[in-house]
Amino acid sequence: MIRAFCNATLVPSAGDGIAALVIDAEKIVAIGQSDVPDGTETIDCSAFGRSVLIAPAIIDLGVFAVDKAACRAGGIVRVGLMPDQSPVLDDPGIIQRAADMGKPDIWVHPIAAATRGLTGTDLAEMAIARDAGARAVATGRRWIADSGVMRRVLAYARDCDLTVVAHAEDAGLVGSAVATDGETATRLGLPSAPASAESLAIARDLLLAEETGARLHFRQVTTAAGFELIRRAKARGLPVTCGITPAHLFLSDIAMSDFRTFAHLSPPLRSESDRQAALAAVADGTIDILCSGHDPRGPEAKRLPFADSAPGMAGAETLLALSLGLVRDEVIEIDRLFALLATNPAKILGLDAGKLAPGAAADFMLLDWEAPWQIDTDRMAAKAGNTPFDKLPVQGKVLRLFKGGTELV
Amino acid sequence: MPASDHRPAAQIKGGAVFPHRHLTGIDGLQPHEIMFLLDEAEQWIEANRSRAKSDKRLEGLTQINAFFENSTRTLLSFEIAGKRLGADVVNMHAAQSSVKKGETLIDTAMTLNAMRADVIVIRHMSSGAVRLIADKVDCPVLNAGDGSHEHPTQALLDALTIRRRRGAVAGQRVVICGDLLHSRVARSNILALTALAAEVRVCAPSTLMPAAIERMGVTPFTDFDAALDGADVVMMLRLQTERMSGGFVPSTREYHMRYGLTLERLARAKPDALVMHPGPMNRGVEIDSNVADHPSRSAITEQVEMGVAVRMACLDILTRRARGVEGWA
């Protein structure tokens, strides 16, 4: 069945503003001012109001849990699932099962463990994992401390044509730290590590990636020195990409005051100057993707003394509304926002999705980008309400969400 | 009574002079509130020196000392303080039990609460743990040390010692030397002493110096001799033995060479400078015996004495609302 969403404002914009999105079953067949064939079901989008857009559905690269309700609320139809599951995604059976976990509501694209059991010692079966459905391999929540192992991971992943998703924190510098060196950590008496723990890790992995020719994606880069290294690597033409979550764009380490464990993240929140550098890196294209880092954690992991609590935040349903703040603050244009949220993650995962283009999967949302709401830890759709943005007023609501042409309700 | 700093507290009536339910830290206290606690402690110094040390104002109240980390002197000090005020004091040595930390912390707090404790004194190895418990219980909570965060009664007893021996805290040049990185005593003292307008210098090797410490209003030094110049008070911190063998400091003898308080070093401070240490001391490491035992310069045993008085004052003040004291209820 062919359906046409007419009189819509598309993102990225097609031609001069108002256009139509035409889908046939699972695929987008046409966009723009094309003629709508006879017998097509037409939906007049002007009825939804002037602040409603049609945008690609979000592809969230690097979540730690498959959380359908949170994804539905947040306009996410595809997730790149981190291998840090129980059991670890390092076996074809487990990977296949993970890929089926989201059906029929979301696509789960497993990211396999780069080392067996994520222990950072032995290479995992990357080719088998790829054939089982893995879209990339990752070091998991941790950095691979042994440079020899990391070099072999990168070299072997290149052979398998898989991108390596890396966590960038030098374990020796981090030790037991749960915060970044600075006034907040000092006042709270929390173990902290210098921000250079990140740039040191990035520098090493970039050198190894350049040597091996591997594609490397840093799931989160959060420091000024880290962005500078990525910027220079890109200028040299290296196939390196990086992401960030809204937490590091909108919060600094001051959010940990009063020992708020919902602000216990990995990597930890940084200084205000690093936060400003992150905004600049989004603006100048150094950052390729925005992700939620979705990691719902209940009270048994969060209602603890700060250093004993687990890091992580539930971010899936707040990713879009918070990210729209970047457009409102004029850091980026809305077209670029959806490149960060959908098009670029699709490229990294090798998916023909994440864009409104003929031939691509019909994954899209009707978004009222001005609709106001308030983030509330007690009223989250996610499995747990551990958000550092509790009580923050935001704007941007998903009205309707389509995955492969089927509306999700 | 010794001369003291400004005291707007005298003009504030009733409970408004100390409007806090708990004492989780010096952070958040106004200077006049700190002065009020010190003023209140004064009466107990004399009372403790007299033969009849007991007072009945906390009679019928249950004070639970929940110590999740081993302690001898602080626990004893809180126990004596409670008993001298007539409270029923119960000690819970959670450090000995093998319960997994954290997970049971809230449960333990709820248990103590259900037992209808009237005041809970807590020591815990994690920064912020005491505040976590304070949010969950109905009675006042006193922080007896949480991780590397705060140890407010230690700072109060130190300020009281300084005030009595030096006449005032304001304007005193205080040098705090030792393991600042892991020290809750240092953090609480920095907050209290800077609030009371002392000039605070901190001194440690760079491996034990917290990042951005100058943002707390102190001047950092790595050279102990330079830091001591013209000091009114020298406060030495304990260096944990496990940190002295290469982790943060190469050896105890090298530490003593650079940061040990000897009589020669002390000569760089003012001639009548006061020597303090929160205890227990590593004699011959951070402080020499002839300094620690110096009859006119060392205030170390006096600190212990002030500790009981300060804790009595804190227990009294925090329970006033529950006891229905006029102006506080």
Side-chain angles (χ1 to χ4, degrees), chain A residues 183 186-187 189 258 304 308, chain B residues 102 126-127 131 148 187 211 215:
Chain A
E183 185 182 355
T186 291
R187 283 184 181 273
D258 294 328
L304 295 173
D308 303 330
Chain B
S126 287
S127 302
R131 205 175 289 182
S148 306
R187 281 174 181 74
R215 299 289 293 271

Side-chain angles (χ1 to χ4, degrees), chain A residues 181-183 185-192 257-259 300 302-308, chain B residues 101-103 105-106 126-129 131-132 136 148-149 187 191 210-213 215-216:
Chain A
D181 279 355
E183 185 182 355
T186 291
R187 283 184 181 273
L188 296 177
L190 291 174
S192 61
S257 299
D258 294 328
F259 300 100
E300 65 285 351
K302 284 293 191 182
R303 211 167 64 176
L304 295 173
F306 194 95
D308 303 330
Chain B
K101 64 182 175 186
E103 187 178 24
L105 185 60
I106 294 285
S126 287
S127 302
R131 205 175 289 182
L132 188 66
K136 299 281 175 243
S148 306
H149 178 225
R187 281 174 181 74
L191 292 166
I213 188 79
R215 299 289 293 271
M216 294 186 77

Side-chain angles (χ1 to χ4, degrees), chain A residues 20-39:
Chain A
L21 173 77
V22 186
I23 65 171
D24 183 1
E26 297 174 357
K27 299 277 183 197
I28 296 171
V29 291
I31 59 160
Q33 311 291 356
S34 57
D35 296 325
V36 175
D38 288 338

Side-chain angles (χ1 to χ4, degrees), chain A residues 56-118:
Chain A
I58 294 172
I59 301 173
D60 194 0
L61 200 168
V63 300
F64 291 92
V66 176
D67 192 338
K68 293 178 188 175
C71 287
R72 168 64 188 87
I76 298 165
V77 297
R78 294 169 186 266
V79 295
L81 181 66
M82 290 296 283
D84 310 67
Q85 308 296 316
S86 178
V88 169
L89 304 187
D90 64 353
D91 175 90
I94 298 164
I95 291 165
Q96 275 166 0
R97 200 191 60 173
D100 290 341
M101 274 170 75
K103 287 180 179 172
D105 302 319
I106 50 175
W107 286 106
V108 175
H109 301 293
I111 300 172
T115 59
R116 201 175 304 153
L118 286 173

Side-chain angles (χ1 to χ4, degrees), chain B residues 15-34 36-37 140-141 314 317-321 328:
Chain B
V17 71
F18 194 81
H20 305 280
R21 220 161 83 80
H22 309 290
L23 182 66
T24 56
I26 300 295
D27 187 28
L29 297 187
Q30 299 292 321
H32 73 266
E33 293 166 358
I34 298 171
F36 170 70
L37 293 173
V141 167
C314 292
I317 290 161
L318 290 177
T319 55
R320 281 183 190 177
R321 205 154 299 149
W328 291 72

Side-chain angles (χ1 to χ4, degrees), chain A residues 69-71 73-74 76 292 294 314-321 373 379-382 384:
Chain A
C71 287
I76 298 165
S292 75
H294 192 63
E317 68 203 89
T318 56
L319 172 63
L320 176 60
W373 58 288
R379 301 172 66 179
M380 301 269 281

Side-chain angles (χ1 to χ4, degrees), chain A residues 118-243:
Chain A
L118 286 173
T119 54
T121 47
D122 302 308
L123 293 178
E125 296 167 323
M126 296 186 202
I128 290 175
R130 180 196 59 203
D131 293 349
R135 288 288 177 166
V137 292
T139 66
R141 293 181 190 273
R142 302 192 309 175
W143 191 62
I144 293 178
D146 186 321
S147 304
V149 172
M150 187 59 180
R151 192 179 188 283
R152 288 190 287 276
V153 162
L154 289 162
Y156 197 81
R158 181 188 168 278
D159 292 352
C160 300
D161 196 26
L162 287 166
T163 297
V164 176
V165 178
H167 180 85
E169 271 188 300
D170 182 282
L173 275 174
V174 170
S176 61
V178 293
T180 309
D181 279 355
E183 185 182 355
T184 301
T186 291
R187 283 184 181 273
L188 296 177
L190 291 174
S192 61
S196 60
E198 179 177 283
S199 42
L200 196 64
I202 290 174
R204 183 202 72 172
D205 289 353
L206 285 175
L207 287 171
L208 296 175
E210 184 162 17
E211 253 178 33
T212 55
R215 287 197 309 269
L216 181 58
H217 173 73
F218 293 101
R219 193 169 63 84
Q220 297 181 81
V221 177
T222 59
T223 62
F227 296 125
E228 191 49 38
L229 287 166
I230 302 283
R231 205 171 274 133
R232 277 188 264 154
K234 285 186 168 184
R236 285 208 311 281
L238 296 189
V240 57
T241 51
C242 72

